[in-house]
Amino acid sequence: MASVRIREAKEGDCGDILRLIRELAEYEKLSHQVKISEEALRADGFGENPLYHCLVAEILPAPGELQEPCVVGYGLYYFIYSTWKGRSIYLEDIYVMPGYRGQGIGSKIIKMVAKVALDQGCSQFRLAVLDWNKTAMDLYKALGAQDLTEAEGWHSFCFKGEAMRELAGR
């Protein structure tokens, strides 16, 4: 098996991150919702006050091979605040290319986010999953996550577009 490295993303990874975001959206049957650009990823994640952080999973070439490492997965996260629990971390996306699944790459990304959360004094690590993605739900539960929809009945809501402009009086 090839060697896998999980590392913090660099600005030069934004093209690969965008490629993987589009693959994830296609997998989730939501590709029509992707509006982000490589430039926006650079500006929002690698400026003076980054709005997100990202880990990438890359396959390293065997010693003596000439190819470059290949980015095959990512985990994009940011810090949030719970009025009940304090500092928290939210994993917005986690994705591993289909040909590399089942090798523990997703688990490695999740474990690295957990380490970041603990290093930053976070009390919890949150994420969301589509209701049909049983494989992901099973993984999260196996790693110790609690399904808050089952346990506490939480539902997520989102204001966007016209609804958000109307709320803001614009």
Side-chain angles (χ1 to χ4, degrees):
M1 184 168 99
S3 180
V4 176
R5 173 174 57 191
I6 310 298
R7 63 169 175 79
E8 288 184 30
K10 299 178 271 198
E11 190 171 348
D13 293 317
C14 287
D16 284 322
I17 295 166
L18 181 58
R19 170 180 55 84
L20 295 170
I21 288 170
R22 288 180 175 146
E23 284 185 28
L24 171 60
E26 183 69 28
Y27 174 75
E28 292 180 335
K29 301 168 185 65
L30 297 169
S31 57
H32 61 282
Q33 293 188 20
V34 177
K35 306 296 184 213
I36 196 80
S37 68
E38 192 173 330
E39 295 74 26
L41 286 170
R42 274 194 190 92
D44 293 342
F46 299 92
E48 189 175 318
N49 295 306
L51 298 174
Y52 72 87
H53 303 276
C54 189
L55 300 171
V56 294
E58 57 186 5
I59 302 297
L60 303 174
E65 289 183 353
L66 298 177
Q67 72 249 32
E68 295 290 314
C70 176
V71 176
V72 299
Y74 77 105
L76 191 145
Y77 65 92
Y78 46 86
F79 296 95
I80 58 174
Y81 198 81
S82 166
T83 56
W84 294 355
K85 306 284 184 184
R87 292 181 192 172
S88 304
I89 201 165
Y90 189 86
L91 182 60
E92 177 70 24
D93 283 353
I94 180 166
Y95 178 75
V96 176
M97 293 171 60
Y100 297 93
R101 293 182 189 157
Q103 300 177 35
I105 296 171
S107 293
K108 287 179 182 177
I109 293 170
I110 291 170
K111 289 174 182 180
M112 185 74 77
V113 173
K115 287 177 187 172
V116 170
L118 291 173
D119 288 348
Q120 295 297 316
C122 295
S123 62
Q124 58 184 344
F125 167 179
R126 290 181 169 256
L127 61 114
V129 61
L130 289 168
D131 60 1
W132 55 262
N133 195 343
K134 183 166 174 19
T135 303
M137 285 188 264
D138 289 346
L139 172 64
Y140 306 150
K141 287 177 182 179
L143 291 172
Q146 181 183 35
D147 182 338
L148 293 180
T149 303
E150 287 177 2
E152 299 176 6
W154 291 100
H155 289 271
S156 286
F157 288 84
C158 178
F159 295 102
K160 50 185 168 178
E162 186 57 37
M164 193 166 59
R165 284 188 289 280
E166 195 170 307
L167 283 171
R170 295 183 185 174

